[in-house]
Amino acid sequence: MATYPTKRLRRLRFNPIVRDLVRETILTKDDLIYPMFVIHGENIKNEIKSMPGVFQFSIENLVAECKELVQLGIKAIILFGIPEHKDEQGSDAYSEHGIIQRAIRAIKSEVKDLLVITDVCLCEYTSHGHCGLLKGDEVLNDETVSLLAKEAVSHAEAGADMIAPSDMMDGRIAAIRKALDYKGFQNIPIMSYAVKYASGYYGPFRDAADSTPAFGDRRSHQMDIANGMEAIREAESDIEEGADIIMVKPAGAYLDVIKDVKDTFQMPTAAYQVSGEYSMIKAAGKLDWIDEERVIIESLIAIKRAGADIILTYFAKDVAKYLDKQK
Ligand code: PBG
Ligand code: ZN
């Protein structure tokens, strides 16, 4: 092996064309999924205070925004719903006339070439803001799983292209797969939030989705932030149960976990750059404390470099515009 002065690592850094030739990680629009919030009502476009540039849209405005995304070259969205009525069972989540079901039908009838993924959980729909049915203050597992399977089927029936369960109940991937197959949706993929931590970075999302738990937290189902090996066990069980894509969430503070999961299973792997990651970059950018565009790209390249094939990010529109500018 050559050493200095024969070896000079700077040789490949002087010429920008050479730098382009040897670059290891490339970010493209094909990698991105844009999260969106749909709310009941008409003519609504509410900016989320803690997430500048992110909005709750009523259905017709959501459809208009989706058309703009397609123009920008963004190919996939993940939908979150804020229903008119919440109850203890989260009924709107699996109602044929639920907010998500209506939104999917509207998008599918008016927008071409956009992949519609739906988040499957109950916390946006329950009056108590928990991810499942409660008994006292315990989130019940198996009873919740049946409702999640019902929710997934109703999303598929409305026209969803992919199902993304984010609840972290045990056994939900198997139950959802079985329910989808039984109804003839064998070809609808499941992107499992397989490795989801009980994270402080979800704060702004809970404003956006109006899903803050009325009491307690999500530590009885989401993972302990301190655990890395447990991530492998979580991913493994979801893969065994039939997940097609596995997700790690959040992304930026869990790059080691993304890499471990990717290296261990070599499955299509997604990472969710969550609301708090977005808000922090936005806030520092607004204060001119960092170069916002540079840091956005750096944060996403790091997630890809760690092993993510797919990134869910609220920066998808900014990235698309940036990539167009590069050309
Ligand atoms: C619902 C769900 C959450 C997120 C995605 N799906 C919130 C939570 O678990 O509390 C967070 C996304 C984000 O912060 O951007 N279970
Ligand atoms: Zn939830």
Side-chain angles (χ1 to χ4, degrees):
M1 275 260 256
T3 53
Y4 173 83
T6 314
K7 174 157 114 187
R8 289 179 183 271
L9 289 167
R10 290 184 63 198
R11 253 181 228 126
L12 299 180
R13 296 183 195 143
F14 289 103
N15 182 333
I17 300 175
V18 175
R19 288 203 297 270
D20 287 350
L21 278 174
V22 302
R23 182 161 303 120
E24 298 174 29
T25 308
I26 312 275
L27 186 66
T28 78
K29 294 178 188 178
D30 296 350
D31 307 326
L32 306 175
I33 299 173
Y34 186 52
M36 300 184 82
F37 300 95
V38 56
I39 191 164
H40 66 92
E42 269 168 48
N43 201 20
I44 296 174
K45 185 178 176 182
N46 290 337
E47 189 164 34
I48 316 306
K49 239 226 221 103
S50 50
M51 300 180 76
V54 176
F55 302 85
Q56 297 173 333
F57 291 105
S58 51
I59 290 177
E60 82 285 12
N61 287 341
L62 181 82
V63 168
E65 180 77 2
C66 286
K67 289 179 181 166
E68 200 187 313
L69 295 176
V70 173
Q71 290 296 315
L72 279 168
I74 293 167
K75 298 177 181 175
I77 61 168
I78 181 162
L79 274 184
F80 297 93
I82 303 117
E84 185 166 13
H85 298 293
K86 303 194 183 212
D87 58 31
E88 298 212 331
Q89 292 77 35
S91 313
D92 197 87
Y94 38 88
S95 151
E96 194 190 328
H97 307 290
I99 181 70
I100 287 289
Q101 291 78 355
R102 287 189 290 129
I104 301 167
R105 278 187 229 108
I107 295 170
K108 284 294 162 190
S109 74
E110 293 192 55
V111 188
K112 270 207 183 66
D113 301 324
L114 185 67
L115 190 88
V116 178
I117 306 168
T118 57
D119 183 271
V120 167
C121 196
L122 294 182
C123 52
E124 296 123 71
Y125 308 94
T126 49
S127 44
H128 43 71
H130 281 285
C131 298
L133 293 176
L134 293 182
K135 185 174 178 192
D137 52 14
E138 183 188 335
V139 179
L140 296 172
N141 194 87
D142 301 6
E143 294 80 351
T144 298
V145 165
S146 318
L147 293 183
L148 295 167
K150 224 168 123 177
E151 180 178 3
V153 166
S154 91
H155 290 177
E157 282 171 342
D161 298 300
M162 190 184 289
I163 300 296
S166 71
D167 52 282
M168 291 294 282
M169 297 300 118
D170 287 321
R172 88 266 210 231
I173 300 301
I176 289 172
R177 185 71 272 161
K178 192 170 157 207
L180 288 172
D181 289 358
Y182 180 73
K183 294 283 186 173
F185 297 110
Q186 292 90 342
N187 294 323
I188 299 285
I190 298 176
M191 174 167 69
S192 164
Y193 288 68
V195 180
K196 179 174 177 179
Y197 286 93
S199 168
Y201 287 93
Y202 307 150
F205 173 94
R206 293 179 187 169
D207 293 339
D210 185 25
S211 63
T212 309
F215 62 89
D217 55 38
R218 308 216 198 288
R219 286 176 224 247
S220 83
H221 49 288
Q222 296 179 350
M223 282 177 59
D224 188 322
I225 58 167
N227 294 354
M229 287 177 292
E230 189 187 351
I232 300 299
R233 301 201 292 277
E234 275 289 358
E236 184 173 46
S237 60
D238 282 11
I239 294 165
E240 280 169 359
E241 288 180 33
D244 302 285
I245 300 172
I246 46 179
M247 191 200 299
V248 174
K249 175 187 171 196
Y254 297 85
L255 297 177
D256 56 327
V257 178
I258 296 172
K259 182 160 172 49
D260 253 9
V261 165
K262 181 67 191 182
D263 289 349
T264 306
F265 300 106
Q266 300 180 6
M267 286 281 290
T269 302
Y272 198 144
Q273 183 183 51
V274 299
S275 56
E277 298 178 75
Y278 175 86
S279 301
M280 292 193 305
I281 293 174
K282 271 283 167 194
K286 275 192 181 303
L287 287 166
D288 256 326
W289 286 358
I290 55 170
D291 176 339
E292 182 177 317
E293 191 177 82
R294 255 185 97 174
V295 174
I296 291 171
I297 299 303
E298 190 171 336
S299 68
L300 295 168
I301 290 281
I303 295 165
K304 252 201 114 169
R305 196 188 60 233
D309 307 289
I310 302 166
I311 307 174
L312 297 88
T313 176
Y314 301 96
F315 289 123
K317 284 175 74 178
D318 305 76
V319 175
K321 289 175 193 163
Y322 167 84
L323 292 173
D324 288 342
K325 216 168 55 183
Q326 297 303 97
K327 275 196 237 149

